[in-house]
Amino acid sequence: MDIINILPDSVANQIAAGEVVDRPAGAVKELLENAMDAGATQIDLVLKDAGRTLIQVIDNGCGMSDSDARVCFERHATSKIHGADDLFAIRTMGFRGEALASIAAIAQVELKTRQSDASWGTQVVIEGAHIVSQEPTACAAGTSMTVKNLFYNVPARRNFLKRDAVELSHIEETFRRITLIHPDIGFSFSHNGKTLYELAAGSMLQRICGLFGQQYKERMYHVEEETNIVKIKGFASRPEFSRKTRGEQYLFVNGRFIKHPMLSAAVEKAYADLLPERNFPSYFIGLQVDPSRIDVNIHPTKTEVKFVDDHALFAILRSAVKKALGQFSLATELSFDTPEEFNIGPAPKGYMPPEPKISYNPDYNPFASTKGSRVKGNEKGVRGNERTNDLIDTTDTIVPSLPLTPSHAPSLPQSTCMQVQGRYVVTPLSSGLAVIDQQRAHERVLYDRLTRTVGQAVKQSQTLLFPVQCHFSAADGELFGELLPDMKEYGFEIAAMGGCTFVVSATPAGLKEGDMQELFDRMLMEYKGATLQKHASRSQSLCASLARQMAIKPGRQLTQEEMQQLVSDLFACPLAEMSPSGKKTITIVKPEELLK
Ligand code: ADP
Ligand code: MG
């Protein structure tokens, strides 16, 4: 007995539909991509009930002929490739001819379309893959595709859909991934009669602002690079606008959103230690590569891609972002963690290393005598070969010959600190040249100051001219309330105003006025994380967190006085060479190395 059946098309399409369209966002993606492939310059997306009952995409693209309007719903109906060779030169978003067949199999679809040179358009109604009607109609040039009651005949799928808010957020993400990299096309997006986005055609930066807010205009650096294997164009956030989550990280290849852990790592590596711990940059970066250098065997609805030249791309992308951040190669040499550096090889074509940015003191004289505070202990650093010997010895052995605060060493010349790249303070010692990471050094100084204040009667506070209000969520507000006595110890004056509102009227002396809300938000977040670690005491982890938030960040230009204060404060700390989080604060370039 024969037992093999050929599945009817309608069933096959329903099965295939599950792959292409697993939720409303999947249908939205396919319809938007079709509109772009049709050369539209304006595309409008209209939704009802997060796409469950209605998804409509209207475009002003090329439209379809009467017969194409029918054929487009058939499986493997595509105008985009004709033979296998075309597979290696795909420049359109779709090419498998499956999307419309899939959508028509699981929804009630109404298509209205007109080619610009035709006087009449055509309207096709199709339901569960069966054409219900086709008739001429008067309509605008272009295409309007209306998808009603998605999954009406697939209850299992329908029941798997999440709450409207969840489905809508998937659609919004789909919309961002498509619109970000096509700023030359105007888009609108409305849901249940309310306009969520109205994006005019423009530049990529305008598009970013249209989607994420106007404040992004000041937050981004322009990334641009062109070599013979890739063209890179996009934006990466300035280090000071990094975020606590990896949320806004968008990479595109040939106009398509991709996920590529190695390329994302390249971008993050470019920031090296410009970012505070557990902070992530935002970026929107498009790559253009020869389509034949991408593996096309990868499923088109998936976001993974393979590149033939992935190692070269890594290096070029990283250097492009570095260049945008205004870094130069010295930064890598001065790197405080010795990261496994990727071998860049020859500089990509057309790459011009940017001019180093160094703030320097014109009076600085490296040969000026700095005798006067010579000490025990530092010869060790000169002779030693191991890295650890570069460190200043702890406790009583540290007194390198460097300028101290006026009160400590009034006779020393004042002008012996130099800031490099807004991140490092460089100062000569008898044992070589000390390169100090300003952020980590400051973190150490603040930490020691905060922990010393604990339990001491004298609080060092400064009263704020304008008290600052902070608000928290219910849970955070309760936690913050519990921490108030600790905060008082550190020199904060904070009053609970009821609910989850607090008013800050004084801060520890020396704290630069900044965003108080953010300071506390981050502190609470870190504190919640730290309480899970057994080793750190409550006050240790609070102080470490506060020190981290309050420390001067890379990019802050320091005055000569500030640098000297920082250096002398640092060397006054018993554990000067390590930040509270255990990172090296100082590295010493030995005289032998200077000779080279
Ligand atoms: P694919 O995009 O992979 O070719 P689809 O099923 O998405 O497959 O679409 C089938 C065909 O229908 C497309 O190749 C295109 O010729 C036509 N088509 C679909 N949407 C539009 C549109 N908005 N404007 C013009 N033609 C369209
Ligand atoms: Mg398509």
Side-chain angles (χ1 to χ4, degrees):
M1 184 179 76
D2 297 336
I3 53 168
I4 297 180
N5 278 326
I6 303 290
L7 289 177
D9 265 3
S10 57
V11 178
N13 282 343
Q14 259 194 34
I15 296 170
E19 269 181 49
V20 184
V21 180
D22 55 344
R23 59 183 354 145
V28 169
K29 171 174 181 282
E30 294 298 336
L31 297 181
L32 291 177
E33 288 185 348
N34 279 349
M36 288 190 296
D37 285 344
T41 56
Q42 176 65 39
I43 303 174
D44 302 310
L45 170 65
V46 179
L47 298 179
K48 266 192 200 139
D49 307 316
R52 263 175 237 273
T53 51
L54 177 87
I55 300 170
Q56 186 180 17
V57 171
I58 305 156
D59 69 58
N60 62 355
C62 64
M64 283 179 262
S65 70
D66 290 4
S67 66
D68 279 356
R70 222 171 30 248
V71 174
C72 70
F73 293 106
E74 306 217 350
R75 197 102 179 270
H76 307 306
T78 180
S79 54
K80 298 165 197 172
I81 59 174
H82 297 99
D85 285 353
D86 295 345
L87 275 177
F88 299 95
I90 288 163
R91 291 185 186 272
T92 50
M93 307 295 291
F95 59 88
R96 305 196 334 162
E98 279 187 341
L100 290 184
S102 301
I103 294 170
I106 51 169
Q108 296 152 347
V109 180
E110 190 186 294
L111 161 66
K112 278 188 186 177
T113 187
R114 177 166 76 84
Q115 292 178 315
S116 61
D117 55 359
S119 38
W120 286 89
T122 185
Q123 174 176 15
V124 176
V125 177
I126 180 164
E127 225 181 278
H130 298 291
I131 297 208
V132 176
S133 67
Q134 176 168 22
E135 54 204 31
T137 182
C139 61
T143 302
S144 157
M145 196 70 83
T146 307
V147 177
K148 288 183 193 155
N149 304 319
L150 195 67
F151 304 125
Y152 80 105
N153 54 354
V154 198
R157 273 274 170 226
R158 205 171 55 232
N159 295 336
F160 263 105
L161 292 181
K162 300 274 184 350
R163 288 177 293 119
D164 273 10
V166 176
E167 294 303 335
L168 188 66
S169 74
H170 282 286
I171 295 173
E172 274 192 84
E173 181 59 18
T174 300
F175 184 75
R176 283 192 287 266
R177 290 176 179 185
I178 287 175
T179 53
L180 269 170
I181 197 65
H182 294 101
D184 48 326
I185 302 175
F187 287 92
S188 75
F189 177 177
S190 73
H191 180 239
N192 290 343
K194 200 174 137 207
T195 302
L196 301 184
Y197 297 94
E198 184 78 68
L199 308 171
S203 69
M204 186 172 186
L205 189 57
Q206 285 167 330
R207 185 53 52 89
I208 294 170
C209 294
L211 286 164
F212 296 97
Q214 289 305 319
Q215 69 275 24
Y216 275 71
K217 208 161 163 189
E218 276 81 45
R219 295 188 175 181
M220 294 284 143
Y221 280 129
H222 194 200
V223 181
E224 195 151 23
E225 189 66 87
E226 192 172 344
T227 72
N228 38 17
I229 62 168
V230 65
K231 220 167 150 178
I232 300 173
K233 242 182 154 154
F235 290 86
S237 63
R238 306 160 71 103
E240 60 271 35
F241 295 111
S242 59
R243 296 168 47 112
K244 282 170 279 189
T245 63
R246 278 176 203 267
E248 292 149 13
Q249 304 196 333
Y250 293 85
L251 275 183
F252 305 90
V253 168
N254 298 353
R256 191 187 287 278
F257 175 83
I258 59 155
K259 281 191 182 140
H260 199 286
M262 186 171 159
L263 291 184
S264 306
V267 179
E268 287 193 10
K269 276 235 156 121
Y271 284 79
D273 34 19
L274 283 179
L275 294 182
E277 247 178 296
R278 274 176 290 147
N279 268 41
F280 304 98
S282 299
Y283 54 84
F284 313 90
I285 298 176
L287 313 180
Q288 284 289 340
V289 302
D290 181 341
S292 67
R293 311 290 284 173
I294 303 178
D295 189 337
V296 289
N297 286 325
I298 301 247
H299 198 285
T301 63
K302 301 256 164 67
T303 48
E304 283 80 23
V305 234
K306 274 191 195 157
F307 297 98
V308 179
D309 310 295
D310 54 357
H311 280 238
L313 285 178
F314 179 99
I316 297 167
L317 180 56
R318 190 185 58 171
S319 84
V321 177
K322 268 194 171 181
K323 190 169 83 168
L325 299 175
Q327 288 180 273
F328 63 106
S329 59
L330 184 60
T332 1
E333 263 121 69
L334 293 182
S335 179
F336 279 69
D337 310 305
T338 26
E340 356 65 81
E341 283 296 332
F342 187 86
N343 183 15
I344 297 193
K349 195 181 100 196
Y351 176 73
M352 278 288 293
E355 292 252 308
K357 280 195 205 123
I358 300 182
S359 68
Y360 68 98
N361 185 316
D363 300 324
Y364 171 70
N365 175 3
F367 303 108
S369 143
T370 52
K371 57 184 176 275
S373 50
R374 261 227 67 130
V375 256
K376 45 182 174 163
N378 51 12
E379 279 87 359
K380 223 160 106 199
V382 179
R383 263 184 270 115
N385 282 328
E386 292 158 44
R387 279 203 89 98
T388 44
N389 286 348
D390 296 351
L391 299 176
I392 302 267
D393 276 354
T394 51
T395 55
D396 58 335
T397 53
I398 11 146
V399 195
S401 54
L402 48 79
L404 300 173
T405 42
S407 61
H408 289 137
S411 60
L412 285 174
Q414 294 262 309
S415 53
T416 37
C417 283
M418 182 168 69
Q419 193 181 21
V420 179
Q421 282 206 287
R423 303 165 68 188
Y424 305 113
V425 174
V426 179
T427 191
L429 307 180
S430 63
S431 58
L433 200 59
V435 183
I436 295 165
D437 181 308
Q438 67 186 45
Q439 177 179 8
R440 294 178 186 177
H442 196 212
E443 211 175 304
R444 161 55 65 195
V445 170
L446 289 171
Y447 178 81
D448 281 29
R449 198 172 289 159
L450 286 170
T451 47
R452 235 181 300 132
T453 329
V454 177
Q456 280 181 4
V458 208
K459 282 178 308 203
Q460 295 176 307
S461 280
Q462 62 194 15
T463 306
L464 295 180
L465 206 50
F466 303 102
V468 180
Q469 274 207 5
C470 295
H471 306 274
F472 301 96
S473 68
D476 279 1
E478 196 162 312
L479 183 62
F480 193 68
E482 282 172 24
L483 296 178
L484 283 189
D486 300 78
M487 304 298 287
K488 204 174 160 113
E489 292 269 16
Y490 308 144
F492 284 98
E493 235 19 286
I494 303 173
M497 304 303 288
C500 297
T501 304
F502 295 83
V503 170
V504 187
S505 52
T507 65
L511 171 58
K512 289 258 178 312
E513 267 194 60
D515 187 337
M516 217 55 85
Q517 179 79 49
E518 191 181 341
L519 173 72
F520 294 141
D521 282 345
R522 284 173 181 264
M523 181 195 80
L524 286 176
M525 196 184 71
E526 295 201 342
Y527 181 67
K528 282 184 277 188
T531 44
L532 303 171
Q533 300 166 4
K534 284 153 228 109
H535 57 271
S537 76
R538 168 194 173 112
S539 105
Q540 268 174 339
S541 56
L542 265 184
C543 289
S545 168
L546 278 172
R548 192 156 40 242
Q549 312 313 336
M550 286 155 47
I552 44 172
K553 300 290 180 295
R556 249 280 301 285
Q557 292 295 324
L558 300 178
T559 64
Q560 190 57 227
E561 290 70 39
E562 285 175 321
M563 287 191 272
Q564 291 182 347
Q565 186 70 49
L566 179 65
V567 171
S568 69
D569 285 351
L570 177 66
F571 285 121
C573 296
L575 273 171
E577 76 276 19
M578 286 289 167
S579 75
S581 33
K583 289 196 180 144
K584 214 168 154 183
T585 53
I586 177 165
T587 200
I588 293 182
V589 185
K590 286 177 268 171
E592 306 92 272
E593 290 167 342
L594 287 175
L595 270 176
K596 280 187 227 159

